[in-house]
């Protein structure tokens, strides 16, 4: 059932093929460097790229820009406690700002941090503190065809192995990311969250949930975990988060806002540490690098994110695109996750070695064929890992319609039909931080 109608529109334009070829070359075959005006359908990320509701636009006018003690902050604080169950909240300009505040307050040189799977900025923030990020995906997480319900789960067994190698005293923090972005947006069960809570207690570690897509995760829990079949998404989301000591949040995802994020906690001592660090890096703790109007929009968005009308429409859009691609026999990661469809670039280009970045090749081909921008999450984004070669087509919230998805399908089909004719890519330039190289590195075609 359609949950929305459009109240504003934006003209978009598909550059001709010669323009796309030229833009791609000038961008160093890195689509992060493309001008947005040169992109026809932008599936690079769902972070901050969605359309806000009329209630959110109305809330912007309530925004109070006081440096300290803003009533806009009070409304955000109330929304976080009502929706997520945390009494303390510290705003940040976006999710990675919140990561800096939280992980900078918890980690020291030599620490080890287990996570179901670290995403790029999380891994970089852990490394920036001199700590080591350890991925603990569940068995089957990298099986692209396994129809398991919770492939995003945290493997407590793998985490215990890490603890046995370094000692519990060197593992002050355990993270579970819901949904698991680096594992194709796959959900995490509440049963698994309970096990991670018990594990954190066992080693006396702080348990943090990366809650960027907590509402999407709650939808899958209701659908796939029998205990919660008759429970509302709002109640599921709150219960799952109640197992954590703290949460880090990008409000640009399930906050349904275009900017902003926060750290939330129920630990008074941790709150004080984070608040002090936030003043140094983000701003006074009642605005944290955000304008009051954006705080208002996020406070409304958090409440909207756990409503049935919103979340059912959101997941249905992702599933629609996934079904269209499957019906066309295009290889994708299944089952589809909550925010994106992941193309199996390894199956597109079995003739390319991982050193030739098959995922990034596919990203470039999608732009070349149809002006569609996705993002590589394989050997280019995650060097020295054994993850599959994936390309994420992240769907902005409440933004695109059926006709857009039909164009995406035609573009992917064209790239798949021409898959035997493409060559690989190699690095031409590389930044100093390897965990973030996919944002700014330049590439060039491999000439055979």
């Amino acid at each position: 059932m359609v949950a929305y109608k459009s109240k504003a529109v934006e003209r978009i334009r598909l550059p001709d093929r010669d323009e796309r070829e030229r833009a791609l070359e000038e961008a160093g075959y890195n689509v992060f460097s493309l001008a947005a005006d040169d992109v026809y359908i932008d599936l690079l990320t769902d972070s901050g790229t969605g359309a806000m509701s009329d209630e959110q636009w109305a809330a912007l006018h309530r925004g109070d820009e006081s440096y300290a003690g803003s009533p806009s902050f009070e409304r955000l604080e109330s929304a976080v406690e009502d929706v997520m169950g945390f009494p303390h909240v510290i705003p940040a300009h976006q999710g990675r700002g919140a990561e800096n505040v939280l992980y900078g307050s918890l980690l020291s040189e030599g620490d080890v941090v287990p996570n179901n799977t670290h995403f790029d900025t999380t891994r970089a923030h852990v490394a920036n503190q001199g700590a080591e990020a350890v991925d603990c995906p569940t068995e089957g997480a990298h099986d692209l065809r396994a129809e398991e319900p919770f492939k995003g789960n945290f493997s407590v067994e793998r985490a215990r192995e890490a603890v046995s190698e370094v000692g519990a005293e060197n593992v002050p923090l355990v993270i579970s990311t819901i949904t698991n972005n680096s594992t194709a947006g796959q959900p995490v069960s509440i049963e698994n969250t309970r096990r991670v809570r018990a594990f954190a207690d066992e080693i006396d570690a702080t348990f943090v949930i990366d809650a960027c897509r907590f509402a999407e995760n709650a939808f899958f829990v209701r659908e796939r975990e029998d205990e919660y079949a008759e429970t509302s998404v709002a109640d599921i989301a709150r219960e799952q988060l109640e197992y954590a000591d703290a949460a880090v949040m990008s409000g640009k995802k399930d906050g349904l806002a275009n900017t902003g994020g926060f750290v939330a906690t129920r630990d008074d001592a941790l709150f004080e540490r984070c608040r002090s660090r936030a003043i140094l890096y983000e701003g006074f703790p009642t605005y944290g690098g955000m304008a009051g109007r954006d705080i208002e929009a996020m406070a409304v968005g958090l409440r909207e994110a756990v409503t049935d009308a919103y979340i059912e429409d959101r997941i249905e859009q992702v599933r629609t695109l996934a079904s269209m691609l499957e019906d066309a026999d295009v290889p994708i990661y299944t089952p589809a996750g909550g925010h994106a469809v992941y193309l199996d670039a390894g199956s597109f280009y079995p003739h390319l070695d991982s050193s030739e970045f098959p995922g990034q090749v596919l990203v470039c081909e999608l732009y070349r064929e149809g002006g569609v921008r996705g993002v590589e999450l394989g050997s280019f984004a995650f060097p020295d890992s054994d993850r599959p070669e994936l390309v994420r087509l992240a769907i902005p919230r409440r933004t695109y319609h059926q006709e857009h998805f039909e164009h995406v399908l035609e573009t992917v089909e064209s790239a798949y039909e021409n898959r035997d004719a493409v060559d690989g890519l190699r690095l031409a330039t590389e930044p100093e931080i390897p965990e973030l190289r996919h944002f700014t590195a330049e590439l060039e075609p491999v000439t055979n």
Side-chain angles (χ1 to χ4, degrees):
M1 180 178 293
V2 177
Y4 302 101
K5 65 178 182 179
S6 300
K7 296 181 73 171
V9 296
E10 176 186 355
R11 288 290 300 271
I12 58 175
R13 168 184 169 270
L14 176 61
D16 64 36
R17 191 178 182 94
D18 287 343
E19 289 180 88
R20 301 196 300 269
E21 292 274 11
R22 184 167 57 253
L24 195 58
E25 183 176 356
E26 290 174 354
Y29 299 92
N30 187 336
V31 295
F32 278 97
S33 296
L34 290 172
D37 286 346
D38 289 333
V39 176
Y40 187 50
I41 297 178
D42 202 344
L43 307 181
L44 180 74
T45 181
D46 63 320
S47 180
T49 57
M52 292 197 299
S53 70
D54 53 354
E55 294 294 331
Q56 287 180 288
W57 279 104
L60 292 176
H61 294 279
R62 280 202 308 264
D64 180 89
E65 307 303 338
S66 299
Y67 186 92
S70 167
S72 296
F73 170 74
E74 292 176 2
R75 281 186 279 273
L76 175 63
E77 192 175 43
S78 176
V80 170
E81 184 161 19
D82 290 349
V83 174
M84 306 177 76
F86 294 102
H88 301 308
V89 58
I90 303 162
H93 72 281
Q94 65 179 78
R96 67 194 61 180
E99 288 180 322
N100 177 45
V101 168
L102 182 60
Y103 301 142
S105 300
L106 287 171
L107 296 176
S108 302
E109 184 85 24
D111 287 341
V112 170
V113 182
N115 191 333
N116 47 356
T117 315
H118 291 80
F119 199 59
D120 48 16
T121 59
T122 314
R123 186 177 299 278
H125 277 296
V126 169
N128 193 50
Q129 300 304 318
E132 179 185 356
V134 176
D135 290 342
C136 301
T138 189
E139 186 176 352
H142 294 165
D143 183 342
L144 277 61
R145 308 293 180 261
E147 291 293 326
E148 297 175 15
F150 292 104
K151 291 163 76 171
N153 276 356
F154 182 111
S155 172
V156 173
E157 293 73 24
R158 293 191 184 191
R160 282 206 176 95
E161 291 174 6
V163 170
S164 68
E165 292 177 7
V166 302
E169 67 278 7
N170 294 311
V171 185
L173 173 63
V174 175
I175 307 170
S176 184
T177 304
I178 62 172
T179 58
N180 191 335
N181 192 8
S182 294
T183 305
Q186 296 296 300
V188 175
S189 71
I190 289 188
E191 187 277 332
N192 183 251
T193 305
R194 292 185 188 122
R195 290 190 64 210
V196 178
R197 170 74 270 172
F199 168 67
D201 289 340
E202 177 185 316
I203 64 172
D204 194 26
T206 299
F207 177 28
V208 172
I209 288 180
D210 185 325
C212 293
R213 298 177 178 89
F214 74 100
E216 293 172 9
N217 199 87
F219 174 91
F220 289 113
V221 167
R222 184 175 68 180
E223 183 179 70
R224 301 177 184 178
E225 205 162 357
D226 291 344
E227 180 182 348
Y228 297 95
E230 302 301 323
T231 309
S232 70
V233 166
D235 286 346
I236 292 168
R238 185 176 171 111
E239 178 179 336
Q240 189 159 29
L241 291 166
E242 283 177 349
Y243 290 105
D245 299 302
V248 62
M249 178 77 183
S250 169
K252 299 166 69 174
K253 283 85 168 176
D254 278 355
L256 311 188
N258 298 133
T259 193
F262 55 83
V263 175
T265 183
R266 56 180 54 86
D267 184 312
D268 294 343
L270 179 58
F271 171 64
E272 291 300 332
R273 299 210 314 268
C274 289
R275 188 164 63 165
S276 296
R277 185 173 175 88
I279 293 172
L280 180 62
Y281 286 98
E282 294 292 318
F284 193 74
T286 59
Y287 78 91
M290 296 178 66
R293 62 184 72 92
D294 294 315
I295 290 175
E296 292 277 3
M298 188 162 61
V300 173
L302 283 171
R303 296 184 188 277
E304 291 182 348
V306 292
T307 61
D308 287 348
Y310 163 74
I311 198 65
E312 289 170 5
D313 180 84
R314 167 64 171 161
I315 301 300
E316 182 59 31
Q317 278 207 321
V318 177
R319 287 177 169 171
T320 294
L321 179 57
S323 294
M324 292 165 67
L325 292 166
E326 283 190 288
D327 290 345
D329 295 325
V330 173
I332 66 171
Y333 189 111
T334 58
H339 69 288
V341 177
Y342 288 70
L343 303 176
D344 177 6
S347 292
F348 268 70
Y349 307 124
H351 61 288
L352 297 181
D353 186 75
S354 62
S355 63
E356 296 177 300
F357 307 127
Q360 188 65 15
V361 171
L362 179 53
V363 166
C364 291
E365 290 304 304
L366 295 178
Y367 179 72
R368 182 180 281 116
E369 292 293 334
V372 174
R373 177 160 63 171
V375 68
E376 189 265 9
L377 292 177
S379 52
F380 181 45
F382 299 105
D384 303 321
S385 77
D386 59 353
R387 300 180 192 185
E389 301 288 347
L390 298 175
V391 169
R392 186 185 71 183
L393 303 179
I395 298 178
R397 294 161 177 83
R398 305 184 289 205
T399 301
Y400 290 124
H401 306 289
Q402 185 68 23
E403 295 85 354
H404 300 106
F405 296 144
E406 289 171 358
H407 178 81
V408 173
L409 173 63
E410 292 171 3
T411 299
V412 175
E413 284 184 308
S414 180
Y416 194 53
E417 289 169 3
N418 298 319
R419 62 191 181 276
D420 296 330
V422 302
D423 294 322
L425 293 167
R426 63 188 172 204
L427 285 170
T429 67
E430 188 170 4
E432 292 183 2
I433 303 175
E435 293 87 356
L436 301 177
R437 72 179 185 183
H438 58 297
F439 289 113
T440 58
E442 295 182 350
L443 302 101
E444 58 188 11
V446 174
T447 53
N448 294 325

